[in-house]
Amino acid sequence: MESEKKVMLSGIQPSGALTLGSYLGAIRNWAGRAEKFDCYYFMADMHAITSRQVPADLRRNTLEQLAQYIACGLDPEKNVLFVQSHVPHHAQLGWVLNCYTMFGELSRMTQYKDKSAKNAENINGGLFTYPALMAADILLYQPDYVPVGEDQKQHVELTRNVAQRFNGIYGDVFKIPEPYIPEVGARIMSLADPLDKMSKSDKDQNGSIHLMDAPEEIMRKFKRAVTDSDTEHCVHYDRAEKPGVANLMQIYAACTGENYEAIERTFAGQGYGAFKAAVGEAVVALLDPIRTEAARLLADKAYLEEVYRKGAQRASYTAEKTLRKVYKKIGFLAT
């Protein structure tokens, strides 16, 4: 019997350790969606190789990301958790959609421009055409919704354009996905530069808190966090004038549930040092159970292998139906 739930899909590259920003901004909200949606979550390892990866690191990061997903509450029985490269339909549909994605559309993608500037020595074809693969990632599963942040809206718009173009030629093949605006998650900025988003690719590792960081490492990073140059050292939320303190307040609020007014009252007159330590302690309390559970899961490689193999089987079942329909429509000879 086919599920009557709406379908949702999301993926993150295993190109580095998941950060506090990823957790507070997105992953924390994912677990509750399983009751309402059929959810597909994948490790986007094929996208990761648009920049050079150390093979052993990529394998380790992929497995760690799966363990962290589960530790964050994604039940493998209620969600389809899989590794992108384990489902060859992604690459197969990606090539087809390359042929229905216009050069001009790809050249306008802001992330291509950004990544090209950061990887001037390796501007490869995959870096240019990866939005077509991303469209394939989405359209294979005929999702109703795709969660999007500000940096991904352009990709979903391109996916919709490509799907509509394909459907205009061949009929009703792809469901046109709608962007899903998730519950407001915190947009966490770097501890080293509060004007930049916290990122696993941050060159200054003091700027990012990773889910697997030990408590002492978390405290060290928060003690070194950038605050502001004012002389009063007043804990007050002002994103424009006090971006460092505002970022720390947002992290503390996301961890504790306190609003900004309550935080200002609690830390009135205590200075930045005491506040940074308190934020660090709140983050340690939040992440320690996740780190402990992820470490336990990583010690059980057989279980994780079972999860990603079953996930690939479930994902392939859906992906195969879409790809078979696409191949027939464009005239490929059936096997």
Side-chain angles (χ1 to χ4, degrees):
M1 181 179 175
E2 294 290 329
S3 172
E4 295 182 359
K5 292 181 179 178
K6 299 289 188 180
V7 176
M8 183 176 290
L9 174 138
S10 189
I12 295 179
Q13 291 186 34
S15 53
L18 291 176
T19 68
L20 175 68
S22 297
Y23 178 68
L24 293 179
I27 299 170
R28 183 164 68 169
N29 295 326
W30 288 3
R33 294 177 185 165
E35 303 305 319
K36 186 176 180 182
F37 301 101
D38 282 332
C39 296
Y40 293 79
Y41 297 112
F42 64 96
M43 279 42 73
D45 56 343
M46 294 171 68
H47 284 287
I49 64 170
T50 57
S51 58
R52 294 287 176 261
Q53 301 291 324
V54 177
D57 290 348
L58 181 58
R59 284 189 286 270
R60 186 188 69 253
N61 288 338
T62 302
L63 203 61
E64 286 185 356
Q65 187 167 307
L66 175 62
Q68 289 169 49
Y69 274 1
I70 300 170
C72 288
L74 295 181
D75 185 344
E77 297 300 318
K78 296 180 180 180
N79 302 274
V80 182
L81 307 179
F82 66 100
V83 179
Q84 183 187 25
S85 63
H86 291 178
V87 183
H89 309 75
H90 287 252
Q92 291 171 288
L93 183 58
W95 171 250
V96 172
L97 296 186
N98 259 321
C99 301
Y100 292 84
T101 306
M102 299 300 107
F103 186 92
E105 290 175 316
L106 294 172
S107 65
R108 289 192 292 272
M109 301 300 287
T110 56
Q111 284 207 4
Y112 166 69
K113 297 173 184 176
D114 293 344
K115 291 183 178 181
S116 296
K118 294 177 181 177
N119 298 277
E121 75 290 348
N122 182 29
I123 305 176
N124 56 71
L127 195 63
F128 185 68
T129 63
Y130 81 90
L133 177 59
M134 190 175 290
D137 298 335
I138 295 169
L139 297 176
L140 271 173
Y141 301 97
Q142 306 285 5
D144 298 275
Y145 300 107
V146 180
V148 289
E150 285 295 327
D151 58 344
Q152 294 295 333
K153 284 182 178 178
Q154 194 179 27
H155 292 117
V156 177
E157 290 169 2
L158 178 65
T159 297
R160 287 169 55 86
N161 290 342
V162 172
Q164 288 164 345
R165 180 177 299 131
F166 195 94
N167 287 355
I169 299 170
Y170 298 108
D172 187 16
V173 178
F174 296 121
K175 182 180 289 185
I176 308 300
E178 296 288 340
Y180 177 83
I181 309 302
E183 299 172 38
V184 178
R187 188 170 190 269
I188 304 302
M189 311 305 282
S190 167
L191 300 184
D193 182 356
L195 299 182
D196 282 341
K197 185 178 177 182
M198 184 179 288
S199 170
K200 57 190 171 187
S201 61
D202 195 332
K203 292 181 180 178
D204 185 347
Q205 289 303 299
N206 289 314
S208 296
I209 300 296
H210 301 126
L211 299 194
M212 299 300 284
D213 280 349
E216 58 270 21
E217 180 73 0
I218 293 173
M219 293 304 298
R220 184 188 67 79
K221 289 180 180 179
F222 272 103
K223 286 177 181 176
R224 298 182 63 176
V226 170
T227 48
D228 299 292
S229 58
D230 64 279
T231 56
E232 296 180 355
H233 286 200
C234 174
V235 176
H236 172 67
Y237 188 87
D238 186 332
R239 178 64 77 179
E241 298 297 326
K242 298 165 72 75
V245 173
N247 187 43
L248 292 174
M249 290 181 70
Q250 187 168 26
I251 293 170
Y252 190 80
C255 292
T256 65
E258 288 191 36
N259 61 38
Y260 297 144
E261 291 78 7
I263 295 170
E264 289 177 5
R265 287 196 300 272
T266 299
F267 293 95
Q270 293 192 36
Y272 291 160
F275 182 52
K276 289 195 286 186
V279 180
E281 290 167 0
V283 171
V284 167
L286 180 71
L287 297 187
D288 199 51
I290 295 172
R291 182 178 59 87
T292 301
E293 176 63 6
R296 185 190 70 78
L297 291 166
L298 284 165
D300 190 351
K301 296 292 195 298
Y303 170 72
L304 292 176
E305 288 177 6
E306 180 185 6
V307 168
Y308 68 63
R309 284 176 179 154
K310 284 185 177 179
Q313 289 173 355
R314 293 169 68 187
S316 295
Y317 174 77
T318 301
E320 174 65 23
K321 290 192 292 185
T322 298
L323 189 68
R324 192 164 57 239
K325 188 174 183 179
V326 168
Y327 275 16
K328 182 178 181 180
K329 288 288 188 179
I330 62 178
F332 286 172
L333 192 64
T335 56

